[in-house]
Amino acid sequence: MNRRVPRSRVTHDRWLISYADFITLLFGLFVVLFAFAKADQKKQVQVTQSIDSAFRSLGLFPGAVQHPSLDSIPGDGPDQPPNPTNTVMRENVVSPAEVKNDLIRLNGELLQALSGQIAAHTVSIHMGRDGLVISLREAGFFASGSATPMPDTVATLRRIAASLAGTPYDLRVEGHTDNIAIHTDEFDSNWELSAARATRIARVLLELKAITPDRISAAGYAQFHPVSSNDSVQGRAENRRVDLVVLPRTKTDLSAPAIPPLSGPWRKITDDR
């Protein structure tokens, strides 16, 4: 009697292995996404505050809504309401528009008030990186190598001060020169000349009493912030100027240390020096 040889069975369930691997990977993906969604809210606030501080130091978004403080961030307890993720990364789009509208209005007002000086190419007005820039060319306000303003300077500054008096913005007076070195009994370099010119213009503005002293600052940049090439006479003439920069007010908290104290091996290295 012949023994019946059993036939091998062919299974069609191998797809379950691939399906199980897919489900496992999908589960891992959602675990990672859930972990990102539950990131530390306080760390997000610290990053947001750092970015906001950087923008404010540049004079941007002066009236932006304050972000929540670290103490106001809810915890992960069951009784705490969930904190929306967009609360941390939100931005105010109204204040920049108001600043832009103010500067546009101020630009139009100054163009009308200084039309004579603009036509004579002694004053120019344009929007800069920090705000509205009113450039006073050397040819119309200073003698060559001198920091004493010409007599007509007061009348021009009085018109500018009258337009700025009603605004909440600061005024930074910047002195600039060309790249030709100067060495006189009064000024040893272009640094001294540019700083002296900026200080003299700021002093005239203070004497007019249209802008409060806490809104005015002066700085000298010598030849290192040119607006044109110093290779031509015309370019050097454009670089010899005093810029009045209208910019939003900024506040810097100097009470908190900017750099945390060193610890660990780095502190030991510094102590051994």
Side-chain angles (χ1 to χ4, degrees), residues 124-129 133-138 174-179 221-245:
S124 64
I125 304 175
H126 65 278
M127 293 298 299
R129 181 182 62 181
V133 181
I134 310 163
S135 289
L136 311 179
R137 301 279 177 81
E138 178 197 58
E174 301 177 350
H176 301 273
T177 66
D178 57 24
N179 64 344
Y221 293 100
Q223 70 268 24
F224 299 103
H225 290 261
V227 294
S228 185
S229 174
N230 283 306
D231 296 334
S232 64
V233 176
Q234 179 64 27
R236 290 193 294 271
E238 293 179 1
N239 291 331
R240 296 191 299 269
R241 69 199 190 278
V242 173
D243 287 344
L244 308 180
V245 185

Side-chain angles (χ1 to χ4, degrees), residues 29-50:
L29 172 63
F30 281 106
V31 169
V32 173
L33 293 177
F34 178 79
F36 277 122
K38 300 296 291 182
D40 192 344
Q41 298 291 338
K42 291 188 177 182
K43 291 184 178 179
Q44 293 185 11
V45 171
Q46 290 175 346
V47 173
T48 305
Q49 289 177 346
S50 299

